[in-house]
């Protein structure tokens, strides 16, 4: 759980959990929208998968981006 405040946040830090989780020996990442992606062979591979996902989302036109 991340208890640090982000830039611009005020008051107590809200509850946050990791975007990465493991089921059996396979790793997954989850998005704020509730999309789970995987399986990946390792957490490191899941982190790369998340970076690729975010890169693609940033290339979408503003009206198509996930919020």
């Amino acid at each position: 759980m991340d208890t640090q405040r982000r830039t611009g946040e005020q008051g107590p830090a809200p509850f946050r959990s990791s975007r990465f989780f493991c089921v059996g020996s396979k790793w997954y990442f989850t998005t704020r929208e509730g999309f789970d992606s995987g399986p990946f062979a390792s957490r490191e591979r899941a982190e790369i998968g998340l970076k690729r996902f975010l890169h693609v989302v940033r290339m979408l036109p503003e009206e198509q981006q996930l919020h």
Side-chain angles (χ1 to χ4, degrees):
M1 175 177 76
D2 183 3
T3 58
Q4 301 232 343
R5 278 197 252 151
R6 295 180 181 163
T7 302
E9 285 185 333
Q10 297 179 6
F15 174 81
R16 294 189 177 104
S17 61
S18 175
R19 288 184 183 246
F20 303 98
F21 61 97
C22 186
V23 176
S25 62
K26 302 295 183 185
W27 283 88
Y28 299 79
F29 70 82
T30 188
T31 67
R32 291 179 186 154
E33 296 76 26
F35 172 75
D36 295 339
S37 182
F40 296 92
S42 66
R43 180 182 171 121
E44 292 77 22
R45 295 277 184 161
E47 290 173 0
I48 291 167
L50 176 59
K51 287 178 185 176
R52 288 180 177 164
F53 172 82
L54 293 174
H55 176 74
V56 169
V57 168
R58 287 185 191 112
M59 292 186 335
L60 292 173
E62 189 71 30
E63 64 274 1
Q64 291 182 347
Q65 288 188 11
L66 304 172
H67 295 282

